[in-house]
Amino acid sequence: MSRKKDIHFEISERKILLRIIDICVIILGLYLLQISINYDYLTVAKDNLGYLIVLAIYITIFGTIFEIYDLQKSSKLDVTFRNIVLTVSTTVLFYLLTPVLTPFLPEQRLQIIYFYLCIIAVIFIWRWIYITFISTPRFYKKVLLVGEISNIENIIKPLNQSDPNYRIVGFINSETEVESPIKFKGLKEFKPENLLQVIRDEKISEILVASYNSETITTEIYHDLISLLDQGFIIREYTQVFEEITYRVPIQFVGKDFYKYFPFSRSNQNKLYLFFQRAFDIIFSVLGLIFGCCILPFIFLGNFIANKGPLFYFQERVGQNGKLFQIVKLRSMIVNAEVGGAKWAQKNDVRITKFGMFLRRSRLDEIPQFVNVLRGDMSIIGPRPERPFFVNELSRIIPFYETRHIVKPGLTGWAQVNTRYGSSVDDSLTKLQYDLYYIKHRSVFLDINIVVKTLSTILYYRGQ
């Protein structure tokens, strides 16, 4: 089946595009600035190549922290502008405060203002172009879903929420026994016999097969899919796409063939990786405890005034391989908050004091856990340790829940930087999906990503 393919960008391609063009427009903007007015602080010249590279590195790092490369936020102009201002302000500040790596400060301070405003202007203009012309339906990846329709809403929602440019335009029921039509907003149902015609008419780029049991796929659809595959058409399996787009492992779709979905990262047994991780844990914990000691008088005063009672709070948690340990935190709830048994922490929980809410949002309540890291009970990065009561409850409801205990729990983790604090079984399922993704793809680069995203969480005050 010959057809003209539409142009579309994958998630990774769009993120790389944003980063590369950001750097290019900054260099272009500085060049236009130097030929237009009396500007000579950081010019585009061969002698300044090192200074330009440092600027590009700063923009990339702080742009990641302030989320200008988050595809959901990059599709909204007002949010993008705010994040650009925060990114450029921090970048320029660090650029000026590192004179060993950057040019000497100009005699005329107005040069710095030109430098600052120029970078904001050119990035914002480029991002306006991106939102207006690239992040539009013209470049959407149009996808046809083939599978069972009983759970279609739970299949589609996570993909739509994670990638605004990945659009499932319709679905075909692959089961032999056709049930009554399922109505889903913005989604068409097509007849199985029209599969090839739908691909041509709707300009479909990819077929997504979502089926618990491949035996339910009818013979007609199976032959059409084989024919398309022979012609080089892209046909992908749902769990693979789900993991790629959402950065989560879809355990609710994993059945008896679970071993196919959990080829865990080699880093979990890599002695060199584990050695450097432990070294990082020790160094970072020592620095964290020094910082904690410096601010302890202020925390003690705040606790005395607005959080009356013990400053520290001890609680039993489940660690690596199910081993129990005592976690230590700064108390953020009222004394005896769990009289009568363990309870989920809710949004706007009345048990949380005002000072306790500040501690949670700023993540300062986690500082004493550096002691747990030094003792080896925890790591800086890993799934958050849960209480035995909830582990027992969730293990009975959610498949593979105890799998998260094959690595050390952490102060921060992939689930913590990608989702809000969980207060239900559904939230725990989402967190587990992120935790298993981390265990499956654990690496130095993913750890660095988590550290950077943790800084974003703290700066944007997104604590529990």
Side-chain angles (χ1 to χ4, degrees):
M1 181 182 64
S2 60
R3 64 183 185 84
K4 184 179 179 181
K5 292 186 177 180
D6 287 348
I7 298 175
H8 61 263
F9 297 98
E10 303 290 347
I11 292 178
S12 57
E13 292 172 339
R14 276 180 275 134
K15 288 185 175 182
I16 292 172
L17 179 71
L18 290 175
R19 283 178 165 85
I20 291 177
I21 303 298
D22 278 356
I23 295 170
C24 290
V25 297
I26 289 172
I27 294 174
L28 176 62
L30 293 175
Y31 177 73
L32 294 175
L33 193 63
Q34 74 187 53
I35 64 175
S36 301
I37 61 174
N38 184 26
Y39 168 80
D40 58 6
Y41 171 52
L42 177 61
T43 57
V44 180
K46 187 176 180 180
D47 295 340
N48 291 337
L49 180 60
Y51 298 148
L52 291 170
I53 291 174
V54 171
L55 178 61
I57 292 172
Y58 282 3
I59 282 287
T60 301
I61 293 174
F62 293 115
T64 303
I65 293 174
F66 290 106
E67 302 177 335
I68 65 173
Y69 303 118
D70 183 298
L71 296 181
Q72 288 284 1
K73 295 178 174 61
S74 295
S75 61
K76 302 173 183 175
L77 197 60
D78 55 339
V79 177
T80 295
F81 179 72
R82 181 199 65 184
N83 291 344
I84 288 173
V85 171
L86 290 172
T87 297
V88 176
S89 299
T90 308
T91 296
V92 171
L93 178 62
F94 270 77
Y95 200 77
L96 297 176
L97 294 177
T98 52
V100 176
L101 304 173
T102 56
F104 290 109
L105 294 178
E107 294 182 2
Q108 295 181 341
R109 296 298 185 255
L110 190 60
Q111 297 273 325
I112 298 174
I113 301 297
Y114 291 153
F115 176 65
Y116 173 69
L117 294 178
C118 173
I119 297 176
I120 289 180
V122 294
I123 294 180
F124 180 73
I125 291 171
W126 146 236
R127 292 309 184 91
W128 176 81
I129 294 172
Y130 171 80
I131 293 171
T132 305
F133 297 103
I134 298 179
S135 185
T136 61
R138 179 187 313 219
F139 293 101
Y140 287 167
K141 174 182 271 191
K142 296 179 181 179
V143 180
L144 178 65
L145 179 67
V146 175
E148 298 148 13
I149 63 177
S150 56
N151 199 29
I152 192 167
E153 186 169 350
N154 292 330
I155 289 174
I156 294 171
K157 269 191 174 181
L159 302 182
N160 288 343
Q161 291 171 352
S162 300
D163 183 5
N165 286 22
Y166 190 90
R167 291 299 171 96
I168 298 177
V169 298
F171 69 95
I172 289 178
N173 184 8
S174 65
E175 298 173 291
T176 305
E177 296 181 4
V178 181
E179 300 178 8
S180 58
I182 301 293
K183 299 296 182 182
F184 190 82
K185 187 177 180 181
L187 202 64
K188 302 176 184 176
E189 180 176 6
F190 300 104
K191 295 181 179 180
E193 58 269 22
N194 295 335
L195 173 60
L196 301 180
Q197 185 65 38
V198 169
I199 291 174
R200 284 191 290 267
D201 294 345
E202 300 291 335
K203 298 181 179 178
I204 300 297
S205 303
E206 178 176 302
I207 289 179
L208 185 61
V209 179
S211 178
Y212 291 103
N213 183 4
S214 58
E215 297 298 324
T216 62
I217 298 178
T218 63
T219 304
E220 292 76 12
I221 293 179
Y222 174 78
H223 286 307
D224 285 342
L225 293 178
I226 290 295
S227 176
L228 289 167
L229 191 64
D230 290 341
Q231 299 172 49
F233 195 88
I234 299 175
I235 301 174
R236 304 181 70 190
E237 200 269 331
Y238 176 75
T239 56
Q240 176 190 2
V241 174
F242 182 97
E243 189 170 322
E244 181 182 301
I245 292 180
T246 67
Y247 304 108
R248 290 150 45 185
V249 173
I251 56 173
Q252 69 273 36
F253 296 100
V254 176
K256 294 180 180 179
D257 297 334
F258 64 91
Y259 50 87
K260 296 180 181 178
Y261 304 94
F262 295 133
F264 291 130
S265 171
R266 293 180 181 178
S267 297
N268 296 323
Q269 286 83 37
N270 187 306
K271 295 289 181 18
L272 186 62
Y273 170 84
L274 295 176
F275 170 78
F276 281 111
Q277 185 197 43
R278 182 58 183 158
F280 173 77
D281 286 347
I282 293 172
I283 294 171
F284 204 86
S285 296
V286 171
L287 295 175
L289 289 173
I290 292 173
F291 171 74
C293 290
C294 293
I295 65 172
L296 185 60
F298 302 100
I299 292 177
F300 183 81
L301 182 61
N303 183 76
F304 178 76
I305 296 173
N307 199 25
K308 298 184 184 298
L311 179 60
F312 296 102
Y313 181 67
F314 298 87
Q315 195 175 67
E316 196 173 52
R317 297 290 176 101
V318 179
Q320 188 177 21
N321 299 322
K323 182 182 177 181
L324 301 179
F325 70 97
Q326 289 287 322
I327 200 172
V328 55
K329 300 178 68 173
L330 293 175
R331 185 178 57 84
S332 59
M333 287 188 175
I334 59 175
V335 179
N336 298 323
E338 291 192 323
V339 175
K343 302 175 183 176
W344 290 102
Q346 303 292 332
K347 185 178 181 181
N348 301 322
D349 200 316
V350 294
R351 297 174 297 165
I352 302 175
T353 65
K354 291 183 178 180
F355 184 67
M357 181 59 72
F358 165 73
L359 293 176
R360 284 180 170 233
R361 290 286 178 85
S362 61
R363 296 296 179 98
L364 293 177
D365 65 323
E366 311 285 1
I367 287 179
Q369 290 172 50
F370 285 121
V371 174
N372 292 112
V373 176
L374 282 177
R375 291 174 55 186
D377 297 326
M378 297 175 58
S379 181
I380 296 297
I381 299 171
R384 285 294 295 160
E386 192 53 85
R387 299 162 63 182
F389 173 82
F390 292 125
V391 169
N392 293 332
E393 290 293 313
L394 294 170
S395 297
R396 288 197 290 264
I397 302 171
I398 303 176
F400 311 109
Y401 187 81
E402 292 189 349
T403 308
R404 68 198 299 272
H405 298 136
I406 71 171
V407 299
K408 282 185 181 180
L411 270 174
T412 185
W414 191 235
Q416 279 60 50
V417 299
N418 282 289
T419 187
R420 294 284 183 147
Y421 185 74
S423 59
S424 67
V425 173
D426 288 339
D427 293 337
S428 296
L429 171 62
T430 302
K431 287 175 62 178
L432 177 62
Q433 291 174 337
Y434 281 116
D435 288 335
L436 292 182
Y437 181 91
Y438 172 73
I439 295 171
K440 185 175 180 179
H441 299 278
R442 195 179 185 194
S443 66
V444 173
F445 296 106
L446 185 55
D447 288 342
I448 293 173
N449 195 354
I450 291 171
V451 171
V452 172
K453 283 180 175 289
T454 300
L455 294 175
S456 298
T457 301
I458 295 172
L459 290 171
Y460 284 108
Y461 208 54
R462 294 181 188 142
Q464 300 171 5

